[in-house]
Amino acid sequence: MIEGNKNVEKEYGQDENKNSFINFQLIYRTVILNWYWFILSVIICVGLAAIYLRYTTPTYQTVAKLLIKDQEDNKKSGIKYSSNLGIISNSEGIDNEIEILGSRSVAQDAVRDLKLYVNYTTKGRLKTITLYRDQPLNVDVDSKHLENLNRPIELSIKRDSNTFILDGTYYVPTNERDAEGPFTLNTKFYSLPHSIVTRAGVITISSNQGRLLRKGEELNVTLQSP
């Protein structure tokens, strides 16, 4: 009886090994006979990943540390910014400095210094691309009228050989909220820098560090008050 059980277990083990061997052969044959499907899948996945990385707008994260010193030398500047915030204080405190760093006036100064109130875009093959610092042209409005804008100025600049063609719309502020318009712009110019006088201000167009708008390229510009 015991020998019979051993024989059964032995035969079962042989059958299991045989089945495992057959399964391995089946997997091997499946891979060999369908190798082109695996290669095609890899190519498609790599291609989709490359397209995603190429046309997805990149997102960046920055981290900064600030050292705030409570010194008498900074008292005057602290009182100046505190008055803009409506904070009445005779001392230079850490809490006031934190409020100053997050104040609207500091944010507006940063927007003006970095010219973030101007947005440049161009049409790519599959999507609209936002440009920053590497745009071919710089467009700006005189500071006096820039502060009064309550509607965006939208411009489209194209280059045809040595001719720049500008089309756009703008509004003329009547008070803090209302404005007249839209008024249209349609002009040509042949050299840079170039200035255009409008009722919304003087628009200045110049080359960005020697870069040029390529022939047939279109640059879309939006200016807003900071």
Side-chain angles (χ1 to χ4, degrees):
M1 185 68 180
I2 296 175
E3 291 181 357
N5 291 335
K6 289 182 178 179
N7 292 332
V8 172
E9 291 177 357
K10 185 176 181 181
E11 291 177 359
Y12 178 77
Q14 290 177 351
D15 292 339
E16 186 177 2
N17 293 334
K18 186 177 180 181
N19 291 333
S20 299
F21 180 72
I22 293 174
N23 290 336
F24 177 77
Q25 283 187 335
L26 180 61
I27 294 173
Y28 179 76
R29 289 176 181 175
T30 302
V31 173
I32 293 300
L33 294 177
N34 299 281
W35 61 270
Y36 46 88
W37 289 112
F38 291 99
I39 294 178
L40 182 61
S41 300
V42 171
I43 293 174
I44 292 175
C45 291
V46 172
L48 291 175
I51 293 173
Y52 176 81
L53 294 176
R54 172 64 179 84
Y55 292 102
T56 300
T57 302
T59 303
Y60 303 95
Q61 181 179 3
T62 59
V63 178
K65 293 183 179 180
L66 296 176
L67 176 61
I68 301 176
K69 293 183 178 181
D70 189 6
Q71 295 179 347
E72 290 295 326
D73 294 339
N74 297 328
K75 190 171 184 178
K76 294 182 179 179
S77 62
I79 294 175
K80 176 182 176 181
Y81 281 106
S82 296
S83 62
N84 293 334
L85 295 169
I87 300 173
I88 301 175
S89 176
N90 294 326
S91 63
E92 183 68 15
I94 300 299
D95 292 338
N96 282 354
E97 288 291 343
I98 294 174
E99 290 294 330
I100 290 169
L101 291 174
S103 66
R104 182 181 180 87
S105 59
V106 173
Q108 286 180 337
D109 289 341
V111 170
R112 291 188 187 94
D113 293 341
L114 298 175
K115 295 188 180 298
L116 299 178
Y117 54 85
V118 188
N119 184 42
Y120 301 93
T121 60
T122 185
K123 292 182 179 179
R125 294 180 179 179
L126 296 179
K127 70 167 189 174
T128 299
I129 302 172
T130 300
L131 305 175
Y132 178 65
R133 293 186 180 273
D134 58 349
Q135 72 277 1
L137 301 176
N138 287 327
V139 182
D140 209 344
V141 181
D142 63 283
S143 57
K144 179 180 178 180
H145 289 86
L146 178 64
E147 298 298 327
N148 296 329
L149 291 178
N150 55 16
R151 299 286 192 282
I153 298 176
E154 297 182 350
L155 305 174
S156 173
I157 305 174
K158 300 178 183 178
R159 183 182 177 186
D160 183 10
S161 186
N162 294 326
T163 304
F164 295 91
I165 303 172
L166 184 145
D167 297 305
T169 58
Y170 68 92
Y171 293 80
V172 178
T174 56
N175 53 50
E176 292 184 358
R177 295 185 178 182
D178 300 325
E180 296 179 0
F183 299 94
T184 59
L185 279 173
N186 190 343
T187 185
K188 297 180 181 180
F189 53 95
Y190 305 93
S191 61
L192 297 172
H194 183 76
S195 297
I196 303 172
V197 179
T198 69
R199 294 176 59 188
V202 179
I203 301 173
T204 304
I205 304 168
S206 60
S207 176
N208 181 22
Q209 299 180 354
R211 296 184 177 92
L212 292 176
L213 191 67
R214 295 190 300 270
K215 183 178 179 180
E217 184 180 3
E218 180 179 357
L219 181 66
N220 298 310
V221 185
T222 302
L223 298 99
Q224 302 183 74
S225 175

